[in-house]
Amino acid sequence: MRIGYEITSVGAQSSGVGTYALQLLLGMAAVESANEYLLFSNRPHHRQELAATPGVRDLARPFPSRMLWMQLALPAQLGAERPDICHYPNSIGPLRSPVPYVVTIHDMTLSLMPGHHPWRKQLLVRPLIPLVARRAAHVITVSTQARADIVRILRVPPGRVTVIPEAAAAHFRPVPGEEQERARARYGLRRPYVLYIGTLEPRKNLVRLIRAWHSLRRRGEVPHQLVIVGAPGWQYRPIYEEARALGCADEIVFTGYLPRGDLPALYSAADAFAFPSLAEGFGLPVVEAMACGTPVLISDTPALREVAGEAAVRVDPRSVEAIADGLGLLLGDRELHDRLGAAGLARAASFSWQRAARDTLAVYRAALAARAATLAPA
């Protein structure tokens, strides 16, 4: 197949969607090297992994606006290149497409939690999602909960929505103690710590996490620092303001965005990984933490329950007390801590980018076969 693939989310500082787009593409190129993968973007990706991957052709064309490029310039480029199918891994694509396409919609939080997204996204992206989804040859999503939301909210027929879970990349694994110590020294981590990794934005519930951790520290129940890794996102300032207001800013390490190669050591050295997000389509950092053997605390929400199974402590994300109690249990009960670390390793191993790649390629073929059947003469 000649497969078009939109990679505007893949950059030097990729978020979870960018990681998904990159790992899925690398997986597909590895399992089916005979395909040609045409990469479309309005900016360079600067990723050596893609430059070194056989069968991948970079067709990036500079354009100042991603939205205008996608709606105005990309259709013409697709018409010139004529891939068999195109995949949009970040929820939206062009409204006019000369080739059939598949779109990945990771979650429906723009509709379910509009107040947790910037106005620009609500204005420009939210109206496009249902139009793109209904015109797609097929929709991929990453959890059964996200699939149920897509079918209900976007009114896409269930048979046209397939769940293909994400996975931790191969370098996420328990790392040796000396590598952990180097990471500790690099980031000034003086004591045991609780870790969060992800974008700093309201939906991630970091203000409540800080309050919960601080309550444990204030009562003398834990000696742990709190390490928050991630790039500042929309409305991130209240997170820093909360740390200052509680007088604990010196005990919280904000690292900013870190190279993904640094993360396995930070996961492995942490006593616990806390991910009390209010809503997720999947929650990739949870699987990455489990793959490193780190016990996990998650929100008791459908998608995160689906991802973690029984390998995590689950808490009410809207209750500071519940988050504090969950952290205290995870850090204070050594038997539970060790049991969840081992269970997490087994759980993470059940997810695979290789399987995701094969399942995605199967979706492409099924979509093309269905299209061919509709175009065939009676």
Side-chain angles (χ1 to χ4, degrees):
M1 290 182 287
R2 297 183 77 240
I3 299 164
Y5 199 82
E6 182 256 319
I7 59 161
T8 56
S9 61
V10 177
Q13 295 191 3
S14 293
S15 64
V17 172
T19 299
Y20 164 86
L22 176 63
Q23 292 300 322
L24 180 60
L25 177 59
L26 292 173
M28 291 191 296
V31 300
E32 286 196 12
S33 58
N35 295 329
E36 185 179 14
Y37 300 89
L38 311 178
L39 308 188
F40 297 103
S41 180
N42 69 318
R43 59 189 179 189
H45 55 75
H46 301 299
R47 299 304 294 249
Q48 292 301 315
E49 308 101 304
L50 292 179
T53 301
V56 169
R57 187 152 65 95
D58 191 346
L59 297 174
R61 298 289 185 272
F63 204 94
S65 164
R66 173 185 175 239
M67 293 296 290
L68 290 178
W69 165 80
M70 184 171 281
Q71 301 306 325
L72 301 178
L74 180 56
Q77 200 174 1
L78 289 170
E81 294 292 339
R82 284 287 168 181
D84 298 314
I85 197 165
C86 194
H87 187 168
Y88 303 104
N90 192 12
S91 300
I92 60 170
L95 295 176
R96 295 183 304 105
S97 176
V99 300
Y101 65 85
V102 168
V103 62
T104 298
I105 300 175
H106 297 264
D107 58 62
M108 289 303 300
T109 58
L110 256 177
S111 295
L112 295 170
M113 306 178 71
H116 284 75
H117 293 275
W119 69 266
R120 183 180 177 85
K121 224 174 173 184
Q122 295 180 46
L123 184 65
L124 298 178
V125 176
R126 185 178 174 185
L128 282 176
I129 291 175
L131 299 175
V132 171
R134 291 169 199 155
R135 298 177 189 190
H138 207 85
V139 175
I140 292 172
T141 193
V142 292
S143 66
T144 57
Q145 178 61 44
R147 180 180 184 271
D149 291 339
I150 289 166
V151 170
R152 175 173 56 86
I153 296 170
L154 301 183
R155 300 192 303 278
V156 178
R160 286 180 46 223
V161 186
T162 295
V163 175
I164 301 178
E166 303 175 39
H171 68 284
F172 287 97
R173 62 188 186 281
V175 303
E178 58 271 21
E179 191 174 338
Q180 295 180 29
E181 289 307 312
R182 285 195 295 270
R184 284 179 174 277
R186 187 179 305 127
Y187 297 109
L189 307 180
R190 305 179 304 277
R191 290 197 298 277
Y193 63 89
V194 174
L195 180 66
Y196 162 85
I197 294 179
T199 304
L200 278 59
E201 59 184 356
R203 181 164 58 98
K204 302 302 184 179
N205 207 24
L206 292 174
V207 168
R208 287 193 183 95
L209 174 60
I210 290 171
R211 290 174 182 168
W213 161 83
H214 177 65
S215 72
L216 293 175
R217 289 271 301 166
R218 189 179 65 245
R219 298 196 299 262
E221 296 184 26
V222 299
H224 294 72
Q225 292 178 282
L226 179 60
V227 179
I228 295 178
V229 177
W234 176 68
Q235 289 194 357
Y236 69 92
R237 294 187 187 279
I239 298 165
Y240 294 97
E241 291 167 359
E242 185 67 21
R244 287 193 292 268
L246 293 173
C248 59
D250 290 345
E251 294 301 322
I252 301 177
V253 178
F254 290 97
T255 69
Y257 183 89
L258 295 182
R260 292 188 67 74
D262 287 4
L263 300 185
L266 286 175
Y267 278 125
S268 298
D271 278 359
F273 178 73
F275 201 73
S277 177
L278 295 173
E280 294 289 328
F282 186 78
L284 184 56
V286 171
V287 179
E288 293 173 349
M290 292 191 301
C292 295
T294 307
V296 171
L297 176 143
I298 60 168
S299 302
D300 193 11
T301 54
L304 290 178
R305 285 199 303 269
E306 182 180 335
V307 168
E310 299 301 315
V313 169
R314 301 197 294 258
V315 299
D316 177 357
R318 298 190 180 274
S319 168
V320 172
E321 183 178 355
I323 297 171
D325 288 347
L327 274 179
L329 179 65
L330 193 54
L331 296 172
D333 185 334
R334 193 70 206 182
E335 188 276 331
L336 175 68
H337 178 279
D338 294 346
R339 176 164 56 81
L340 289 182
L345 281 169
R347 183 68 178 174
S350 70
F351 299 100
S352 161
W353 279 120
Q354 188 176 64
R355 187 182 312 118
R358 289 198 175 98
D359 290 348
T360 300
L361 290 163
V363 166
Y364 297 166
R365 289 196 170 89
L368 288 173
R371 179 179 172 82
T374 62
L375 297 176

